[in-house]
Amino acid sequence: KKLIYIVIALMVSNITLAQGYFREPEKAFTFQVAPAAFSYNDKAVVGFHIGVNYKEAFNISYFSMRDYDFSEGIEDYGWYGLNAAYMINMNKYLAVGPVVRLANINGDWEKPYYGAELRYNVNKKVKIGFEYGRAKNETGFAEGFGIKFIWNMY
C-alpha cells in the first residue's frame, strides 16, 4: 500500500514539474501594431503602423501619419506608405537595423526614405523603436526622427 502512495506521489510531482517547464513554441510570423510619433520634413506627425513580423528580424508594414493641425485652414499633412525593416539582435534587449520607406506625401510619391532603427525589448510582446532617416527631395534632404511603441500580437 505504501508503494502505491509513493508511485502516485511521484507521478503527480512529475506532471507538476513538466508543466512548469513547458513553454509555448515561438511563432515564425506575428502581427504587429505600433502607434508612432514622428518629426518629418519639419512637421510633427502622429499615426500608426500595422504589419507582419517574421522571426523578430524582418518586418513589413503599412503606415499612416498625419499632423492633425486644422488651425492652418488647409488640408492636413499626410504621410503614408510601406515600411520595411531588417533588425539584427545586438543582445537580449537591443536590436538595430536598416529601414526603407516607400511613402506618399499629400498624394505625391517621394523618393525612397532610408534610415536606421534601434529597438529596445521591454518584454516578449512590447518593444520601443527609435528611428532616424532621410529622403532626397527637391530642396536637398527631408530628415525624419521618430518613436514607435510596437506590440506583437501573437
Side-chain angles (χ1 to χ4, degrees):
K1 212 170 186 178
K2 286 183 182 181
L3 183 61
I4 292 174
Y5 290 137
I6 291 171
V7 169
I8 291 172
L10 286 173
M11 288 175 58
V12 168
S13 66
N14 188 25
I15 291 170
T16 306
L17 286 175
Q19 288 178 356
Y21 290 115
F22 175 76
R23 293 182 191 245
E24 188 174 330
E26 296 281 331
K27 294 183 179 180
F29 285 95
T30 58
F31 291 104
Q32 210 174 57
V33 175
F38 223 86
S39 172
Y40 182 70
N41 203 13
D42 296 327
K43 293 276 190 178
V45 292
V46 293
F48 66 91
H49 292 242
I50 186 165
V52 66
N53 189 14
Y54 178 70
K55 291 191 176 182
E56 298 294 325
F58 178 74
N59 94 336
I60 188 163
S61 60
Y62 169 79
F63 71 95
S64 177
M65 297 197 198
R66 296 200 172 279
D67 70 350
Y68 296 104
D69 185 8
F70 300 112
S71 63
E72 297 174 354
I74 59 171
E75 187 175 328
D76 59 338
Y77 184 82
W79 187 43
Y80 49 91
L82 290 177
N83 178 61
Y86 181 76
M87 304 309 293
I88 301 163
N89 289 325
M90 303 300 284
N91 59 31
K92 184 178 178 183
Y93 297 104
L94 292 176
V96 66
V99 176
V100 176
R101 291 180 189 253
L102 301 175
N104 190 315
I105 297 176
N106 293 335
D108 297 325
W109 287 97
E110 69 172 350
K111 295 196 187 293
Y113 167 98
Y114 300 104
E117 184 173 351
L118 174 71
R119 288 186 187 173
Y120 175 75
N121 296 335
V122 176
N123 61 34
K124 192 173 178 101
K125 291 187 177 184
V126 178
K127 298 169 182 12
I128 300 173
F130 300 95
E131 181 179 332
Y132 172 79
R134 56 194 211 166
K136 190 165 178 63
N137 64 12
E138 60 277 348
T139 61
F141 288 98
E143 293 186 328
F145 177 78
I147 184 171
K148 55 186 171 179
F149 299 96
I150 304 162
W151 178 44
N152 285 331
M153 302 178 351
Y154 291 95

